[in-house]
Amino acid sequence: MNFEKYPFEKLNELLAGIVPNEKYELSALTIGEPKFETPQFIQDKLKQTSSSLRKYPSTIGEPFLRESMINFVQNRFNITLSLNQIVPTFGTREVLFNFPQFALYNKQNPVMAFTNPFYQIYEGAAIASRAEVIHIDLIKENNFKAYLSDEDLKRCDLVILNFPNNPTSASMGVEELGEWVKKALEFDFILVNDECYSEIYFDETKKPASLLEASILVGNSDFKNVLVMNSISKRSSAPGLRSGFIAGDAAILKDYLQYRTYVGCASPIPLQEAAAVAWNDQNHVAEFRKIYKKNFEIAKEILGIETPEATFYIWLEVEDELEFTKKLYKEKNIKVLPGSFLGRNGLGKNYIRIALVENEEKTREVLTRLKDFING
């Protein structure tokens, strides 16, 4: 298999040999990893349940974990799922990689579409599935929203959306997502939305919609052909727990669950215990949202950046993203991610991605440094 180098490997190569300005401490704004302590009550639950390491975990996950995820979906999206409509996963990266291989296995000439620019695991899954790829280009002219012609959709076996979006921070409303559900039913393809940024929002009146909500809106209450994935990593500052889920179409999930028994991605029970208390609690998530909202207020103050509806990314347009990245590192000891490393066919060119995942003090200092660089 001929996989592309991961964006961070490309970044290391781009910056190799550059000596950064030692006047400044290194600030890495590259990776979407929260820099905050995992809440203590989650850590405590992990410690308290460590004795259950003596047990083999089951592929389907413990009932308490599935119930906590169902509770999350109910509380957040007002959707009641049954146990056969949700499968716990080891984060979302593994399911984003292996689900397409499962879904496309019996297709003679599989076709997979996904948003572009993108989280690179989508492309890796397509390569592993031997699938032809159709890119759903997210561009400034369409407000970075997803559109694909009926001609292309008729050819698709699997479509992966990602809203709220990494890296552009764009969102799509429930009606817009509903149009995608209609197309999935009309042309009979599996439609997935990667929703791992759904809880990093800043206006209670504009909470990001779930594809499950959109499915019900257009009358597809059984979620036929519709699936969502979500993760605890961003919302709870707990990427190390590796707790996610895939939910929706029960018929698809029944066969996928059997497939997963061979994959071997069962989560250790102490991690399930800690994840369950995190999924069941919304208060700590609200506190993290306040931090990210403040970071965007600082970004608006210093850089004039408008706060997006969701995510913790800035998708900043620049003249030459590769030269900008190299010079910024050399002169200000700041690392950012060139947008062209996240896209194909020219998408992402002349953009950089900035992850606002530090505390208020660090965010203000580094964005001031960035502004000084931009102003020359």
Side-chain angles (χ1 to χ4, degrees), residues 195-364:
E195 300 182 354
C196 71
Y197 291 93
S198 69
E199 304 314 290
I200 311 300
Y201 60 84
F202 312 110
D203 186 338
E204 288 292 324
T205 67
K206 295 181 180 179
K207 296 179 182 179
S210 171
L211 189 66
L212 297 180
E213 293 177 283
S215 187
I216 290 176
L217 180 69
V218 301
N220 186 27
S221 57
D222 291 332
F223 310 120
K224 177 176 169 55
N225 289 1
V226 170
L227 295 162
V228 301
M229 300 176 189
N230 213 321
S231 165
I232 213 166
S233 299
K234 318 297 181 183
R235 71 183 287 277
S236 298
S237 191
L241 276 180
R242 309 312 305 136
S243 180
F245 64 75
I246 180 170
D249 189 322
I252 295 174
L253 293 179
K254 179 181 178 181
D255 291 337
Y256 178 59
L257 179 59
Q258 184 175 22
Y259 167 87
R260 287 185 65 82
T261 62
Y262 291 87
V263 174
C265 285
S267 176
I269 293 174
L271 269 65
Q272 293 189 49
E273 293 272 12
V277 298
W279 282 113
N280 274 324
D281 183 78
Q282 309 305 318
N283 294 328
H284 73 286
V285 189
E287 292 304 311
F288 284 132
R289 278 196 292 270
K290 291 178 184 177
I291 296 172
Y292 294 126
K293 183 177 183 179
K294 182 61 179 180
N295 284 349
F296 273 109
E297 290 173 353
I298 293 169
K300 184 174 184 179
E301 173 192 338
I302 295 175
L303 298 176
I305 301 295
E306 291 299 321
T307 300
E309 289 185 12
T311 83
F312 44 54
Y313 295 118
I314 294 175
W315 190 234
L316 184 66
E317 193 167 7
V318 297
E319 186 171 332
D320 181 327
E321 81 281 8
L322 299 181
E323 286 302 312
F324 185 99
T325 298
K326 289 191 291 185
K327 289 181 180 178
L328 179 63
Y329 179 55
K330 181 178 181 179
E331 296 180 18
K332 299 293 183 179
N333 206 359
I334 298 173
K335 288 185 177 181
V336 294
L337 196 62
S340 56
F341 291 178
L342 299 167
R344 300 292 179 265
N345 306 323
L347 269 291
K349 183 176 171 61
N350 298 331
Y351 284 89
I352 58 167
R353 192 189 75 175
I354 298 170
L356 295 183
V357 292
E358 294 280 8
N359 62 35
E360 178 182 342
E361 181 182 1
K362 288 185 178 180
T363 297
R364 181 174 293 280

Side-chain angles (χ1 to χ4, degrees), residues 36 49 194 345:
F36 312 108
T49 56
D194 174 2
N345 306 323

